[in-house]
Each structure stands twice: as C-alpha cells, then as structure tokens.
Amino acid sequence: MNEFDLIPADYRRNRQIYGDLARFGIAALAIVAVTFVAVTALSVATGQAEEKARALGGQQALIDQKSAQLQTLDEQIASMSEQFEALTGFRGGQSAPGLLVGIDRAFAGSEVWFSELVFSRAGSMVDKAEAAQSNGYFIVLPKEVESATERAWQIETHMEVLGYARNYAGLSDFVGNLLKQPEIHSVKIVRSALRKQAEVELVEFELAIIVNPKRST
Amino acid sequence: MKIKPDWLFAGRARRYSAIGLSFLEDAVNLVQLDCRGSVPAVSAASLIAIDGSVDELLESPEQLKSLLQPALKQSFVGRRVYSCLPAEHYRLLYINYRQPKSGNEATAVLEQVRERLDGPVSGYVIDYLPIRAKAASDENLALVSVSSKPVVEDYLDCLQRSGLYVDALEIAPVSINRLLGTVAATDDHHNSASLTVGRYKSTLSVYSGRRLILDREVQVGERDIIQQLCRSLDVDEGLARRMLKQGEAGAGQPGSSELPSTVGQIVKPLLLKLAHEFDKAQAYTASQTRGEPIRHIYLLGAASDWPLASRILTEIIDVPVSSLSPVTRCAELESHLQVPQALADHCLPVSCGLALRGALA
C-alpha cells in the first residue's frame, strides 16, 4: 500500500451502484426520449398522411362526382347523338321525287300498271338482334333496366305498290328493273294472283319496295 | 446523491490527470496536468478566493458549485478530482505492530488502532502507510490516518453535489511528499521536510524518501507573524505583508532603508518557535532513520513568499531552506514539471501533488 485512500469502501461501492443506476437511468431516458421522438414523428407523419389521404379522398369524391356527371353528360351526348342521327335519318333517306324517278326508270317499257301507290316513311321498335338481320336503319336506344334485350328504332322507308301486269314475265321484268335502281334497296312481292278482267287474264300484284336509306347522288 | 456521469468525459480525460483540489484557509486551489508528454505539464490551474471559512463553504454544496463551475468550465477537462481532507478532520497515529506470520497486515494494524479510538471502528475511516520494518524483529511502524466516517462522507457528498467526482481522498502531507519526490531533489535515501505556514498555524512534515514519517502542527501562523509586525511597527496589515514580501532585496543599497533587517528581528522570535519544532522533529527523524538527519527544508504557504524567512530559518537550524510555493519558484523543479508562467501563481504544492497522483498512476 503506497497511498492513502480515505474514501470508505462501502461509500465507494454505493457510489458505484448509484453511478451504474444513473448510467442505466440515462440510457433508459435516452431510449424513452428516442422512442418518444420516433413515436411523435410517426404520429405527425401519420397525421399528415391521413390529412393527405382525406384530401385525396375529397378529391376522389369530386372526381367520382365529376365522372358521374361526365358519364351522365356522355350518356346525354350519346342519346342526343342518337336522336340527332334519328332525326337526320328522318330528314334523310330518299326523297319521294327521287324515288319516283327511279320507279319511272324501272317502269319504262314494262307491261305493268299501278292501281295504288303508297309512300311511307315510318319507324318501329324492334329487337336489335332481330333488326341486325334486316336491312333497315336503326337507332340503338339506351338499355332499360327491366329489359334484357337491347331495343332499336328501325326506320323503314318503303313504298307499297298495287297494280297489274300483263303476265308474270312482265312483273318479273319490272321487279328486276326496280332492283337495278340505286334508290331501291329491295323489292318484296307481297302478293300476286291471276285476275280475269274483261275476259283478259291479268296478274294482280302487290309489291313492297324498300328504298335505300342512303340518299342517292 | 447526485452522480456526475464521468464517463462522458472519459475520452478527453484520459489525456489529463484528475484535478487536484485542495482547500486553503481562504481559497480553493485547482490544478490539472497534461499527461501526454514525457514530463507532466500543468494544463490548468486556478486559485479561487473564498468569502468566509472553508467549513461554511463545505456546508453549502451549491455555493461551492457556483464558486468552482466558472473555472471548471473555462479551463479544466472532466470532473474527476483527487482531494485531501482538511487537516482538522483527520489525525495521524504512529502505530507499532507485529507483522503476522500468517494473516493480514491490515488486521494487525487495526487491532493496534482500535485501542486508541473512542467507540466502534465502524465510525471511523482508517488507512495506513507502513513506515519502517525492523529486520531483526517482526515489529513494524505504520503511519495511520484516522478520521470520522460521517465527516469524510459529508466531505465527499459535498464535493459530489457540487458536480465533482472524487476518485481519491488523501491527506496534504502525502501530496506534498509526492510533489517533492517527483520534482525536487529528494530521493529514497535522504530525509527532507516541508514547513507549511498557514493563516493560523503551521504544519511540519518530515519525509524519508517517499515515506511520511512525521506530521506535526505548530501553533504559529501567518496571522501571528503579521500581527507581531503590525504591533511592533504600528503599521497596517497590508503594509506588513508588503514588508515581508519585499524582504532584503533592497537592503544595504543606496537609498534603501534598513527596514528589512528590522523586520527580520521582529519576526525572528516566532520563527524560532518553528525552528524549535524542527529541532524536535530532527531528533525524532534521526531516531527513526538510523541517525540520518533532515537535509533540506521546503517552505510552503505564506512564508514561501518571505525571503527573510528562508534566510533566518537557514541561519537558525543550519539546514538549507527553499521556497516551494508557487512551485516554479523552485529552480530544480523545471525539468520535472512544466509550469506555464501564466499559471505559476496558481500552482500550489498540495494541489500539484494531488494532480501528480493521477499522472504517476
């Protein structure tokens, strides 16, 4: 032993224990402080994220609202377009004089004559699938909730012709000439029968002439 | 108990010694050494005046803290300190004990000390230094420090609460001996002494090499000498101090008065008291060291600033007397302890010796 040491052993030991406890306490406080700071930072970050999410949600709702409005407008536009096209269809098609010129061209040289001629521009609701098989002009209508099938407005511009032909060959020539006219889409012989008038046998016929929906040039 | 987390300073503190802290009668002295070089160098030193007594200061840790903190923050590294117990709080005993053939030496010393104590041993802090072992017999001599345990704990608690971490606590003569052994021309084969002149009393310590073999109080202090001078010359205390410090530098020269020699004659009776105690110590030392005399005296404290004290004591006791306070005044210290000139006046021997404990460890 070369030096005096007047610090009591138990005092030094207790101080060591207190020192260790203090170090432990400081370490614990540091951990708590770091944890608190981290939690606070996360809380702040979460709050900001939630706020941003709320803002984005608001924007999303606005976007949804606008989308719905846009969709409604699109639907309105589509509906209006269809109506416009329908109106255009009504307005369009073959004009009666044009059609008559075409019939007149087919009539030339034929041995047929007419007793009645009716020009009709009308439309009717048909199933789309059914309509697709026909050659008419369609306006596709919005699907109804209750309706499972899509409906279409068929525009039929047609002419009904009642008349007589000298014989079936004459009727056949007339129908063939009609089909050659650009204004005529198709011709259906609705009815034909032999009729004796004044001791002369004639062919009475009834034709349905479907006109071409496109305006002829 | 407030614990300063000293490990916070561990990195830088390794390069520096613990702070040597000692209380004077009217000041606190702090010294720290830079241990990086081959020779310890004083890196920081502070001498802080106290308003009131040391005892009052030690009863108020907050006041002590406010007194020390500015200096500690400005100049010192770490808060680890080596300190010494004030002289009135311990007593030294010389104990003869028999070296046990089997058993603990400390127990043998304690058995001898127990007989001289009032009350149980647990109420005291006891430590000892072996001084002498007789080869012919198994009888040894030990210097034992005895102090009241509550007093020591109060002292430690006070320093602790003032923000310091006390690593070691010892007594002033041991610190001075360490300083002498480290920086002065003392060696293990010669006896030397230190005479510390305090405000109210003086302390004479005798060393045989590294061993403290005597520590004795003398009831002559700076105040007695100053008052003697004031009474004799009808001067105030400040002038009396200046006279003692001026010494004989101007005596005998043209224009100077012969006052310094008169001052010497006035204070000589008090110095004779000190010399008388020295004679007794000389006799005791010779008896304990096979006739080896005290070869050198180092003057510390207030008297170290009085050139005429060294001269008069040298004349009376016929032993060389050197001033060792501040430490740089002693020329032979230069190569062993580097002290910046700016800090020299703040480097008092006890604190230097305390700081050296850490530097030499």
Side-chain angles (χ1 to χ4, degrees):
Chain A
M1 183 181 298
N2 297 319
E3 304 281 7
F4 274 118
D5 185 5
L6 302 184
I7 299 178
D10 54 348
Y11 182 93
R12 195 183 284 276
R13 189 170 54 251
N14 290 339
R15 190 174 63 178
Q16 181 65 38
I17 292 170
Y18 279 118
D20 290 343
L21 286 174
R23 280 188 281 275
F24 177 78
I26 289 170
L29 278 176
I31 290 170
V32 168
V34 167
T35 306
F36 177 75
V37 168
V39 167
T40 305
L42 281 174
S43 174
V44 169
T46 305
Q48 289 175 345
E50 283 177 353
E51 196 173 331
K52 199 174 285 183
R54 274 196 297 275
L56 288 172
Q59 290 178 358
Q60 183 62 44
L62 193 63
I63 289 170
D64 289 346
Q65 186 183 352
K66 295 290 183 188
S67 295
Q69 288 179 357
L70 184 63
Q71 190 175 355
T72 305
L73 290 172
D74 285 344
E75 287 171 0
Q76 287 179 358
I77 288 170
S79 174
M80 298 294 282
S81 297
E82 287 170 359
Q83 289 179 27
F84 176 74
E85 287 178 10
L87 291 172
T88 303
F90 280 125
R91 192 186 63 184
Q94 300 298 334
S95 61
L99 184 62
L100 289 175
V101 169
I103 292 173
D104 192 52
R105 280 200 301 270
F107 195 69
S110 300
E111 292 181 340
V112 294
W113 60 95
F114 299 156
S115 59
E116 187 178 349
L117 192 148
V118 177
F119 182 77
S120 167
R121 191 191 295 274
S124 61
M125 291 296 294
V126 295
D127 291 341
K128 189 178 179 184
E130 180 188 336
Q133 294 174 357
S134 69
N135 295 314
Y137 185 72
F138 298 94
I139 296 170
V140 178
L141 300 178
K143 190 185 290 184
E144 293 177 6
V145 178
E146 295 82 5
S147 175
T149 57
E150 201 168 1
R151 305 275 292 167
W153 183 255
Q154 184 178 17
I155 306 299
E156 286 181 331
T157 302
H158 65 278
M159 186 176 285
E160 292 175 9
V161 178
L162 295 175
Y164 297 93
R166 192 173 297 278
N167 49 35
Y168 279 105
L171 176 62
S172 178
D173 289 341
F174 176 63
V175 171
N177 287 335
L178 279 175
L179 290 173
K180 291 176 185 172
Q181 303 309 313
E183 294 85 357
I184 305 302
H185 181 269
S186 64
V187 178
K188 287 180 182 176
I189 301 171
V190 179
R191 181 176 57 84
S192 65
L194 287 173
R195 226 23 113 190
K196 190 177 272 189
Q197 288 190 356
E199 300 298 327
V200 179
E201 263 191 345
L202 298 174
V203 179
E204 185 183 25
F205 65 89
E206 182 178 348
L207 295 180
I209 302 169
I210 308 298
V211 300
N212 199 332
K214 300 279 180 64
R215 186 185 291 273
S216 62
T217 55
Chain B
M1 182 185 298
K2 184 179 178 183
I3 301 296
K4 190 74 179 178
D6 187 67
W7 47 273
L8 291 174
F9 305 99
R12 289 183 68 203
R14 279 192 203 99
R15 304 187 314 227
Y16 298 91
S17 72
I19 300 166
L21 180 149
S22 62
F23 289 94
L24 287 72
E25 287 149 321
D26 55 359
V28 185
N29 185 216
L30 304 168
V31 173
Q32 187 168 41
L33 304 179
D34 184 347
C35 306
R36 286 174 294 183
S38 57
V39 175
V42 174
S43 61
S46 184
L47 186 62
I48 306 164
I50 297 173
D51 289 332
S53 69
V54 173
D55 287 340
E56 288 171 357
L57 186 64
L58 290 176
E59 287 173 1
S60 172
E62 291 304 319
Q63 189 182 345
L64 179 60
K65 184 176 184 177
S66 63
L67 190 72
L68 298 180
Q69 282 302 317
L72 288 171
K73 283 182 180 173
Q74 186 178 3
S75 311
F76 294 87
V77 176
R79 296 294 180 266
R80 290 170 52 242
V81 299
Y82 291 159
S83 187
C84 60
L85 208 56
E88 61 271 24
H89 293 323
Y90 68 87
R91 62 189 171 114
L92 294 175
L93 304 175
Y94 293 89
I95 297 291
N96 286 305
Y97 66 99
R98 289 184 180 279
Q99 176 70 38
K101 289 178 179 154
S102 63
N104 195 337
E105 183 187 56
T107 306
V109 173
L110 190 61
E111 284 301 318
Q112 296 296 319
V113 174
R114 192 191 304 271
E115 298 171 2
R116 301 197 193 183
L117 298 178
D118 299 326
V121 175
S122 59
Y124 294 91
V125 177
I126 301 168
D127 201 2
Y128 73 100
L129 289 176
I131 292 179
R132 174 174 52 84
K134 288 182 179 174
S137 67
D138 54 359
E139 189 169 292
N140 296 336
L141 182 65
L143 175 67
V144 181
S145 166
V146 178
S147 47
S148 165
K149 191 174 180 183
V151 168
V152 172
E153 289 181 343
D154 286 348
Y155 182 79
L156 293 170
D157 283 346
C158 176
L159 295 183
Q160 195 90 53
R161 284 199 293 269
S162 64
L164 301 170
Y165 186 92
V166 184
D167 248 4
L169 184 65
E170 58 182 28
I171 57 177
V174 173
S175 305
I176 292 170
N177 187 24
R178 188 179 301 110
L179 178 67
L180 295 178
T182 304
V183 301
T186 61
D187 57 49
D188 289 343
H189 306 292
H190 294 100
N191 298 334
S192 58
S194 67
L195 179 60
T196 306
V197 178
R199 177 67 64 88
Y200 307 111
K201 62 190 175 187
S202 301
T203 304
L204 179 64
S205 304
V206 180
Y207 312 100
S208 177
R210 292 296 181 94
R211 293 177 301 159
L212 172 67
I213 59 175
L214 178 70
D215 187 65
R216 183 173 295 170
E217 286 188 352
V218 185
Q219 295 305 319
V220 175
E222 178 194 18
R223 184 188 59 175
D224 301 322
I225 297 171
I226 296 287
Q227 286 182 349
Q228 178 70 30
L229 203 55
C230 291
R231 279 196 301 271
S232 301
L233 297 177
D234 192 21
V235 295
D236 63 18
E237 191 176 318
L239 182 57
R241 285 181 190 279
R242 284 198 297 276
M243 286 176 170
L244 286 168
K245 283 188 178 182
Q246 182 184 0
E248 298 160 315
Q253 293 180 4
S256 68
S257 69
E258 292 299 323
L259 196 57
S261 61
T262 306
V263 171
Q265 294 302 316
I266 292 169
V267 301
K268 194 169 186 177
L270 291 171
L271 296 178
L272 276 171
K273 282 188 182 179
L274 295 173
H276 178 64
E277 288 298 326
F278 175 79
D279 286 340
K280 289 197 284 186
Q282 183 74 293
Y284 176 80
T285 303
S287 70
Q288 295 296 323
T289 58
R290 299 175 188 175
E292 178 67 27
I294 297 171
R295 294 182 181 272
H296 207 117
I297 296 179
Y298 296 93
L299 262 184
L300 291 84
S304 63
D305 274 349
W306 304 339
L308 60 86
S310 301
R311 184 187 62 79
I312 292 171
L313 283 172
T314 302
E315 286 175 2
I316 297 171
I317 60 181
D318 197 21
V319 170
V321 178
S322 302
S323 291
L324 197 66
S325 178
V327 290
T328 46
R329 300 280 172 82
C330 194
E332 59 263 43
L333 305 185
E334 291 294 333
S335 61
H336 301 285
L337 177 66
Q338 294 176 4
V339 182
Q341 195 59 39
L343 299 175
D345 287 342
H346 296 163
C347 296
L348 300 190
V350 175
S351 295
C352 283
L354 286 165
L356 275 169
R357 176 169 177 163
L360 299 174

